[in-house]
Amino acid sequence: MKLLFDRLSSTLEHALDFRLERTNMISANLANVDTPGYTPVDIKFDEQLGDFLAGQNPPSVNQTDTRHLGATESAPRGDVEFDYFSLPDQDGNSVDLDHEMSKLAQNQLLYRATTKVYSKRMALIKYAIQEGG
């Protein structure tokens, strides 16, 4: 049973959540392309994911009593920051459509790749249960 809920599965699930959150942020940037004074935002995740995979997790809560449930592994979190890619126009809006669309395309590719890895992993587990004996 531990194989189903191991670190890789957890990481893939959090990566999918991150990709969805980033899609929502990019969509918000595109929706505000005509909003005066709007500065686009982006979420950075790669550095936190690398630290998580290297075992450099943030400090966790210690279990003070054996009857308490153990702390679950904390997932990496992305850092939201302003995306200062282009200069603001006359209204102070700095959303660049081409840049936002390229970020969206890249994010979609990475989402599809992550879902493919996750589905292959589940297919392998299913095979092991049904055919592996």
Side-chain angles (χ1 to χ4, degrees):
M1 192 67 158
K2 185 166 173 56
L3 176 65
L4 293 176
F5 305 107
D6 66 343
R7 189 178 182 110
L8 178 60
S9 294
S10 173
T11 303
L12 288 171
E13 290 170 10
H14 291 300
L16 288 171
D17 290 342
F18 161 74
R19 293 287 162 211
L20 176 63
E21 188 175 346
R22 186 160 191 240
T23 297
N24 291 338
M25 285 190 167
I26 296 169
S27 298
N29 291 341
L30 291 170
N32 286 295
V33 71
D34 292 326
T35 304
Y38 183 80
T39 302
V41 292
D42 199 1
I43 185 168
K44 304 297 180 193
F45 182 70
D46 299 332
E47 185 177 312
Q48 290 80 4
L49 180 61
D51 290 346
F52 180 73
L53 293 175
Q56 300 170 357
N57 296 339
S60 61
V61 177
N62 292 332
Q63 186 176 3
T64 58
D65 190 326
T66 57
R67 295 174 291 174
H68 295 163
L69 295 176
T72 59
E73 206 170 68
S74 61
R77 289 275 186 224
D79 292 330
V80 177
E81 57 188 43
F82 289 108
D83 188 4
Y84 296 106
F85 178 74
S86 62
L87 296 173
D89 58 9
Q90 298 87 0
D91 293 338
N93 186 310
S94 60
V95 176
D96 181 5
L97 283 176
D98 292 333
H99 181 64
E100 296 299 320
M101 292 304 290
S102 68
K103 287 191 318 188
L104 187 60
Q106 176 197 33
N107 196 55
Q108 288 174 339
L109 281 171
L110 292 170
Y111 184 86
R112 287 184 193 145
T114 306
T115 56
K116 188 164 211 107
V117 168
Y118 193 79
S119 65
K120 292 286 185 181
R121 180 166 172 72
M122 291 300 118
L124 181 64
I125 292 171
K126 181 179 176 183
Y127 172 76
I129 291 171
Q130 292 178 345
E131 305 290 331

